[in-house]
Amino acid sequence: MGPLKKITHNCKKATFLIEKKLIGRITLREHIELRIHLLGCSVCRVYKKQTGKINEMVRQFFYGSVKIDAGLDDTFKKDLQERIEKELNKK
């Protein structure tokens, strides 16, 4: 396995472990592997930070006491519907 594939493989494993840790527990070995990888990979550190923030926002959205009015405005919906119909009518 070449050096680039090895790095890619390690990042794939690291992102898997980051996600696994957010939804449950990881083993001590996995924790150590993840920590070592994060020490040397700034991309995965950013991924970990962003994923944590996204999960926190989703949790607040669904379970928080403050309800956020999230939705598309009517103009956007109408435009999107027209674009969909236009694409469907091409065939």
Side-chain angles (χ1 to χ4, degrees):
M1 180 182 291
L4 185 57
K5 280 204 175 253
K6 201 171 192 176
I7 291 170
T8 303
H9 177 72
N10 288 338
C11 288
K12 286 180 183 179
K13 184 173 182 179
T15 55
F16 170 76
L17 292 175
I18 289 166
E19 295 291 337
K20 184 178 175 184
K21 186 175 179 182
L22 283 172
I23 62 171
R25 293 175 101 39
I26 59 175
T27 66
L28 179 60
R29 178 185 174 97
E30 290 171 331
H31 180 75
I32 292 169
E33 289 176 359
L34 180 59
R35 295 273 300 189
I36 290 170
H37 182 83
L38 291 175
L39 286 172
C41 184
S42 62
V43 175
C44 287
R45 284 194 304 269
V46 169
Y47 178 83
K48 181 181 181 215
K49 185 177 181 179
Q50 289 176 342
T51 302
K53 187 64 174 171
I54 290 168
N55 280 358
E56 178 186 324
M57 291 169 63
V58 168
R59 237 181 273 115
Q60 283 180 343
F61 181 76
F62 285 108
Y63 304 113
S65 59
V66 177
K67 294 296 178 188
I68 301 169
D69 183 24
L72 303 174
D73 67 357
D74 291 333
T75 306
F76 181 81
K77 288 182 199 177
K78 183 179 177 186
D79 180 52
L80 185 59
Q81 183 65 38
E82 288 172 359
R83 289 172 48 198
I84 291 171
E85 289 173 4
K86 183 179 176 183
E87 287 298 317
L88 289 174
N89 290 332
K90 280 184 177 180
K91 297 180 180 186

